[in-house]
Amino acid sequence: FDLMFQKRNSLLLNSSMQPDLTVSRTYSGPICLQDPLDKELMTESSLFNPLSDIKVKVQSSFMVSLGVTERAEYHGKAHSGTFPHGNNRAFGTIQARNKATYIQNLSSISTTSELKTTAIFGHLGGRLVVPNTGVSLLIPHGAIPEETSWEIYLAITQRESSLQPEGTDVLLGPEVTCGPADLSVSTPFALTIPHCAEVNSEHWNIHLKKRTQQGKWEEVMSVEEETTSCYCLLDPYACHILLNSFGTYALIGEPISDCAVRQLKVAVFGCLSCNSLDYNLRVYCMDNTPCAFQEVVSDERLQGGQLLEEPKLLHFKGNTFSLQISVLDIPPFLWRIKPFTACQEVPFSRVWGSSQPPLHCAFSLERYTPATTQLSCKVCVRQVKGHEQILQIQTSILENEKETITFFAHDDSNFPAQMGPKAFKIPYSIRQRICATFDTPNAKGKDWQMLAQKNSINRNLSYFATQSSPSAVILDLWEARHQHDGDLDSLACALEEIGRTHSKISDITETEIEEPDFNYSRQNGL
């Protein structure tokens, strides 16, 4: 057991190493806490004492399950196509050897002007998702009074938002409504809204706004602000917001330098025109959010359009330079592009502003003979003095011969609502033990503040201090951030690191000048 435990520590703590997921492993101990009655996190001479009733199992299928002695099991499936963390990939794209290996999940895309999902929740809480949009709502256990049930809804306003940004400010994600508006919860709920900003506090000042009953928008807070009214945690592709009141919310970005980057997704669709010799290409530049892509695909389905290549990410800077879209390398003697349409330029303000429908440019190509059934060309999208992306198009224009170019989308369309324990990645019994341990003030500082720090929550800690159980709210935020990967292993590793830190501080405090035990440190991956 010791050898296995040491190998696992070494693997998890070395961030440059990629875990081997080709085999199934079973570990015990990392997400281990002492009895809640024990006020200290650690004994003086050991790491977390392994608890025999807890096991963490990581399998090659990316399924993570955590069982306890009551024999209850909670499964956290790693959902494909969610916002990747710690890398530069666009939302929903994957690396694959060929187009055919992409995963498609576009059949559920709605064509209505409002995407909405509704469910009834009780004291046990749960999760509500608008499928394939990146928008979700987490209602913690205990937020709704006992023996009470509420019908809660979550909706996205498509097309034009009622929020019109001023000046160079931009709407960074969808306008999201959760309700009923007259309800308030005793424990903060977590609302997740995707955004298209390249997160950098030196370049952006991002605000959360709420619509009043009179239809006006008022600022709730700046993401970087210290406040106890609500909490915003900005991840690379989404903002997780802790709130006590329902309503309509939106994220606004105020660029504070020319280097502020708005991430755009570039996608190319094609279809035959009424004239069978003509083929139309439509190039879209939209916000890099799943809801924006969903809106475009919805429109294209109505027009008979086909996605021709995996979408790519374009970093569009707030430097006032325009966007150029061109079609290149058209096969001579087979195809020709209609005059004056090979290159189109779009003003900066049209691209940067977000209140209008998704930007697209249309190109009309003509084949010389009906015998030509294949099209190959390049679509170049570039910002003047900025980033450039080239999409290679290789397709059959005949419907029955077209290769299906699919897109990596959310795997949440089959369960827009989950109620009770199955909605959470951390089993309730484990959650209680974590809260009992970390909510208790500790003379050496190993309390909920350390739990927050180890989970990359480093600012506005005064918000958590006002909560009846700071640890519970931190874990709710963890649940919101990890709803698609269910990364219990990272939480286990964070708890283990706290344990090691506590042990080292205890040793130093009690021995002060005693030489550290380097063998002990090496054994535990330090």
Side-chain angles (χ1 to χ4, degrees), residues 110 189 323 344 521:
S110 170
F189 62 86
L323 188 72
Q344 301 181 37
S521 299

Side-chain angles (χ1 to χ4, degrees), residues 179-437:
D182 57 347
L183 296 179
S184 60
V185 293
S186 57
T187 301
F189 62 86
L191 177 64
T192 297
I193 302 178
H195 68 79
C196 62
E198 185 174 81
V199 178
N200 189 319
S201 59
E202 295 180 0
H203 302 151
W204 284 108
N205 187 6
I206 297 176
H207 306 264
L208 176 67
K209 292 202 171 186
K210 181 179 182 180
R211 189 171 64 195
T212 65
Q213 292 182 342
Q214 292 73 36
K216 295 182 179 181
W217 288 85
E218 60 182 18
E219 182 168 328
V220 178
M221 67 173 293
S222 166
V223 168
E224 296 296 320
E225 183 182 348
E226 296 289 323
T227 177
T228 57
S229 61
C230 67
Y231 190 91
C232 289
L233 181 63
L234 203 62
D235 276 343
Y237 297 94
C239 187
H240 310 286
I241 309 159
L242 295 172
L243 299 158
N244 283 93
S245 60
F246 294 106
T248 299
Y249 296 90
L251 291 170
I252 288 288
E254 175 193 353
I256 52 181
S257 85
D258 288 349
C259 294
V261 169
R262 181 173 190 163
Q263 298 185 76
L264 303 178
K265 189 188 300 299
V266 179
V268 181
F269 291 80
C271 66
L272 277 171
S273 67
C274 298
N275 174 359
S276 61
L277 289 178
D278 289 354
Y279 191 78
N280 296 324
L281 288 179
R282 287 183 289 273
V283 183
Y284 289 84
C285 297
M286 71 203 89
D287 288 348
N288 183 41
T289 61
C291 10
F293 180 74
Q294 178 159 317
E295 182 178 342
V296 167
V297 172
S298 173
D299 289 342
E300 280 296 321
R301 285 177 64 189
L302 296 176
Q303 300 178 61
Q306 175 88 24
L307 183 63
L308 300 182
E309 179 56 283
E310 180 190 359
K312 291 191 175 180
L313 184 65
L314 183 78
H315 302 278
F316 191 79
K317 288 186 177 181
N319 57 13
T320 73
F321 287 105
S322 60
L323 188 72
Q324 294 178 343
I325 303 175
S326 52
V327 179
L328 309 171
D329 296 348
I330 299 171
F333 312 116
L334 294 176
W335 291 88
R336 65 184 172 192
I337 192 165
K338 294 199 172 178
F340 312 113
T341 64
C343 181
Q344 301 181 37
E345 188 158 337
V346 184
F348 170 84
S349 58
R350 173 68 179 91
V351 184
W352 191 256
S354 60
S355 59
Q356 304 176 64
L359 166 70
H360 83 277
C361 290
F363 299 86
S364 184
L365 281 64
E366 183 182 8
R367 48 184 174 157
Y368 287 97
T369 167
T372 300
T373 62
Q374 298 291 319
L375 171 63
S376 65
C377 63
K378 292 179 181 177
V379 174
C380 176
V381 181
R382 63 179 291 267
Q383 183 180 20
V384 176
K385 297 186 179 180
H387 189 212
E388 174 185 282
Q389 281 288 13
I390 294 179
L391 289 83
Q392 179 70 55
I393 306 301
Q394 184 78 44
T395 187
S396 169
I397 65 171
L398 302 181
E399 291 293 332
N400 60 349
E401 293 183 9
K402 278 188 177 180
E403 180 184 7
T404 300
I405 307 302
T406 56
F407 190 76
F408 195 45
H410 277 289
D411 187 24
D412 55 16
S413 56
N414 294 326
F415 47 93
Q418 289 181 296
M419 278 70 77
K422 64 182 179 182
F424 303 95
K425 308 301 179 184
I426 307 170
Y428 186 63
S429 59
I430 302 301
R431 176 190 172 94
Q432 284 182 307
R433 300 177 75 177
I434 293 174
C435 294
T437 300

Side-chain angles (χ1 to χ4, degrees), residues 31 51-57 64-75 425 427 429-430 488:
I31 188 167
L51 299 179
S52 59
D53 61 342
I54 302 174
K55 282 189 176 181
V56 176
K57 186 175 184 182
V64 179
S65 62
L66 198 156
V68 292
T69 50
E70 294 88 343
R71 298 189 178 276
E73 284 195 346
Y74 302 82
H75 297 281
K425 308 301 179 184
S429 59
I430 302 301
L488 283 172

Side-chain angles (χ1 to χ4, degrees), residues 46 421 423 454 510:
S46 66
K454 290 299 181 180
E510 292 165 14

Side-chain angles (χ1 to χ4, degrees), residues 29-50:
I31 188 167
C32 298
L33 301 174
Q34 291 179 317
D35 190 274
L37 297 177
D38 190 343
K39 304 303 182 185
E40 287 292 325
L41 204 67
M42 296 281 302
T43 59
E44 295 178 0
S45 59
S46 66
L47 296 176
F48 275 98
N49 292 327

